[in-house]
Amino acid sequence: MTAPFRNLIAGEWTAASDTSPNVNPSNLSDVVGDYARGSAADVDAAVAAAKAAFPAWSRSVPYARHEILKKAAAEVFARKEELGRLLAREEGKTLPEGIGEVTRAGQILEFFAAETIRLAGETLPSVRPGVGVEVTREPLGVIGMITPWNFPIAIPAWKIAPALAYGNCVVIKPAELVPGSAWALVDILHRAGLPAGVLNLVMGKGSVVGQRLLEHPDVTAITFTGSVGTGRRVAKAAIDCDPMKKVQLEMGGKNPLVVLDDADLAVAVETAVNGAFFSTGQRCTASSRVIVTEGIHDRFVEAVTARLSGLVVDDALKAGTHIGPVVDQGQLDQDMRYVEIGRAEGAKLAFGGERLNRETEGFYLQPALFTECTNDMRISREEIFGPVASVIRVKDYDEALAVANDTPFGLSAGICTTSLKYASHFKRNSEAGMVMVNLPTAGVDFHVPFGGRKGSSYGPREQGSYAREFFTIVKTAYTLA
Ligand code: NAD
């Protein structure tokens, strides 16, 4: 038994009064490690350390920040197999998916290493004679970060890297289900040379550690990714605080994939299966609603079903596994409950939806495909966050677009078509933050903005250069020459 993994507070690995086990969802007898479960007092110590580190860090030479982020990126790349294995073991993504996510984290660190030396302001003439105007960007202060379990290293990376690049200090609380990957990332950044207090990690429960971050008056801003329900609470708490905090929320999705009669069938099938079921459907950008025009509907459903029956659901670390387990018992219960809801609502379960037994005890679920769905069924409106998708039959493109947009969410949307006219129209008229043509709704680049509309997102975009909209604040300075 290894010693518990500790929190990083003021540059020291600090024990908490409690720990919790990090269990492998592919094999419940495999404990990845025991991880600190922090308290409100741990948050207070971490915030105090971050506040104390801020004056020096915020004025540090951008190239110093560049070097640290670049060094951390190099270590992440060098250890991508080992870290990918850790990620697959704690979260249940397949090993290739885990390695892919770790690679993404390295790319994000590298991108923001470069952004440190690109930060620029503006100099303008004033409307008043003899006066000059400068518009510059400054860091915010102490940023509180609250992250979900489904991207255990990429989401911490895409919040930490821009925060540090632009000169902020950080207190991060990763999801309690999967603290291992975030711990490894923080360890790498710490050893890459961050001064004490610049980056603090407090693992533990949302209701304790997360809640204290929201209430703490010295936390200037909160960046949150998670469910809509928690996001709403986060936003309210951030505004109720004195002073109010800047807040950024990335939340759920019920992402539509439209398949038109003129689609390339093979492309549409791969796009739908990948988007809906890979990473066990546990992606905020997953295509959980597949909207199919009637001319291709039956051929499409038949081909998707055939493709699903060839997919291997098994231990995330086994070679040949296409779909790993669901992350935990609670999520599995939720997925199974929605399978029952779908049946009761009159949808047809065309494939899957059963619990599976494998060599080791784990949360294995056969991907579920419902057909004959309508867009007002609960399985078509509510985020399930598992390998469960609804196929909705529609008459034509116009109806497909209307159904695609008829949702409280607006994260990602896709269309499979060979028509330039429909592709262009869909890009313009989709009410989603990200639109894909002949590509899965999940799967995005690291150097461009990420985020949604309606109930999916609130506040500035994450990732790419657009991240500076959240992680910096603009100052306008006037000088009489
Ligand atoms: P969640 O809302 O349950 O938890 C997210 C985080 O909030 C966790 O760290 C949790 O501990 C913390 N938390 C819970 N209660 C809190 C409280 N009272 N105060 C402060 N923090 C609290 O979400 P989850 O189950 O971890 O993740 C799944 C959700 O995340 C899905 O809805 C998914 O769509 C969403 N998600 C969105 C994106 C995106 O970028 N839009 C990306 C990944 C996941």
Side-chain angles (χ1 to χ4, degrees):
M1 189 75 191
T2 52
F5 290 86
R6 299 174 173 200
N7 289 324
L8 184 69
I9 300 174
E12 300 290 333
W13 292 108
T14 308
S17 56
D18 198 5
T19 63
S20 57
N22 180 356
V23 176
N24 177 352
S26 299
N27 176 2
L28 305 189
S29 64
D30 175 31
V31 176
V32 178
D34 278 319
Y35 286 78
R37 189 179 266 187
S39 63
D42 293 328
V43 175
D44 291 353
V47 173
K51 189 180 176 190
F54 181 68
W57 179 248
S58 60
R59 291 189 182 88
S60 59
V61 184
Y63 201 71
R65 307 201 292 267
H66 170 87
E67 296 261 86
I68 292 169
L69 290 170
K70 211 169 68 175
K71 193 169 167 200
E75 183 173 337
V76 169
F77 288 131
R79 292 174 56 197
K80 68 177 190 225
E81 256 107 47
E82 171 214 337
L83 294 173
R85 180 167 286 274
L86 167 67
L87 197 160
R89 193 170 155 217
E90 72 171 346
E91 199 266 352
K93 281 198 171 99
T94 65
L95 187 54
E97 288 170 339
I99 294 170
E101 187 182 330
V102 170
T103 305
R104 162 68 54 105
Q107 290 163 331
I108 290 165
L109 291 167
E110 206 171 52
F111 178 89
F112 284 105
E115 285 297 283
T116 56
I117 43 184
R118 261 172 41 97
L119 197 57
E122 286 176 86
T123 311
L124 300 86
S126 164
V127 293
R128 289 171 283 167
V131 174
V133 185
E134 286 161 38
V135 181
T136 51
R137 287 183 179 269
E138 296 184 355
L140 299 171
V142 178
I143 316 253
M145 304 184 171
I146 300 176
T147 58
W149 52 260
N150 66 326
F151 283 95
I153 197 164
I155 293 181
W158 84 49
K159 293 186 190 299
I160 293 172
L164 297 179
Y166 299 128
N168 299 283
C169 293
V170 171
V171 181
I172 179 162
K173 188 213 92 65
E176 55 265 53
L177 265 182
V178 292
S181 302
W183 188 95
L185 177 67
V186 168
D187 173 50
I188 289 169
L189 280 156
H190 173 57
R191 286 185 294 95
L194 284 175
V198 168
L199 172 61
N200 303 271
L201 168 76
V202 185
M203 299 174 284
K205 290 172 80 115
S207 56
V208 178
V209 175
Q211 189 61 35
R212 182 61 189 148
L213 273 176
L214 300 179
E215 289 162 357
H216 202 299
D218 291 335
V219 173
T220 325
I222 292 280
T223 172
F224 166 86
T225 301
S227 60
V228 177
T230 314
R232 212 177 275 283
R233 277 205 297 280
V234 166
K236 279 191 184 136
I239 299 303
D240 279 348
C241 202
D242 194 10
M244 292 182 207
K245 300 184 196 315
K246 189 171 183 183
V247 62
Q248 172 185 54
L249 312 173
E250 284 300 340
M251 300 169 286
K254 196 72 195 174
N255 311 291
L257 173 69
V258 169
V259 177
L260 296 186
D261 286 356
D262 67 15
D264 177 317
L265 185 63
V267 169
V269 169
E270 275 319 298
T271 303
V273 170
N274 176 319
F277 300 112
F278 285 6
S279 299
T280 323
Q282 297 174 153
R283 294 185 286 193
C284 49
T285 45
S287 326
S288 46
R289 291 185 300 142
V290 188
I291 301 160
V292 189
T293 48
E294 54 196 9
I296 197 172
H297 178 277
D298 293 354
R299 276 181 296 140
F300 173 79
V301 168
E302 193 186 330
V304 168
T305 312
R307 178 82 174 89
L308 287 178
S309 59
L311 294 181
V312 176
V313 181
D314 206 334
D315 189 318
L317 293 173
K318 259 194 195 166
T321 294
H322 298 112
I323 296 179
V326 171
V327 73
D328 75 344
Q329 185 70 53
Q331 185 61 50
L332 180 68
D333 292 346
Q334 173 161 315
D335 297 346
M336 304 282 292
R337 203 163 49 243
Y338 273 105
V339 169
E340 284 317 308
I341 290 170
R343 276 202 180 104
E345 284 178 314
K348 177 179 161 207
L349 188 57
F351 185 85
E354 311 97 40
R355 270 301 308 258
L356 297 172
N357 291 319
R358 293 294 177 253
E359 221 169 287
T360 49
E361 194 190 345
F363 303 117
Y364 298 106
L365 178 64
Q366 187 76 275
L369 184 75
F370 277 108
T371 57
E372 312 306 329
C373 302
T374 58
N375 199 43
D376 57 3
M377 289 177 176
R378 284 183 64 193
I379 54 165
S380 306
R381 298 208 79 75
E382 298 170 14
E383 186 184 48
I384 301 171
F385 215 56
V388 184
S390 318
V391 177
I392 302 167
R393 189 197 299 257
V394 290
K395 197 166 72 270
D396 55 17
Y397 170 75
D398 291 337
E399 189 184 352
L401 176 66
V403 170
N405 285 337
D406 178 11
T407 166
F409 296 103
L411 191 55
S412 176
I415 187 166
C416 289
T417 178
T418 51
S419 151
L420 180 61
K421 179 178 115 182
Y422 290 133
S424 306
H425 191 271
F426 190 76
K427 279 191 279 183
R428 272 199 311 277
N429 292 285
S430 165
E431 294 169 5
M434 297 172 291
V435 185
M436 317 289 176
V437 178
N438 295 320
L439 287 167
T441 54
V444 296
D445 287 1
F446 61 87
H447 66 305
V448 289
F450 178 95
R453 299 184 183 180
K454 300 198 272 191
S456 291
S457 300
Y458 182 84
R461 289 285 186 262
E462 302 200 87
Q463 301 198 53
S465 305
Y466 284 72
R468 74 169 68 126
E469 300 301 328
F470 180 73
F471 290 102
T472 65
I473 188 156
V474 166
K475 179 176 275 175
T476 315
Y478 299 87
T479 311
L480 179 61

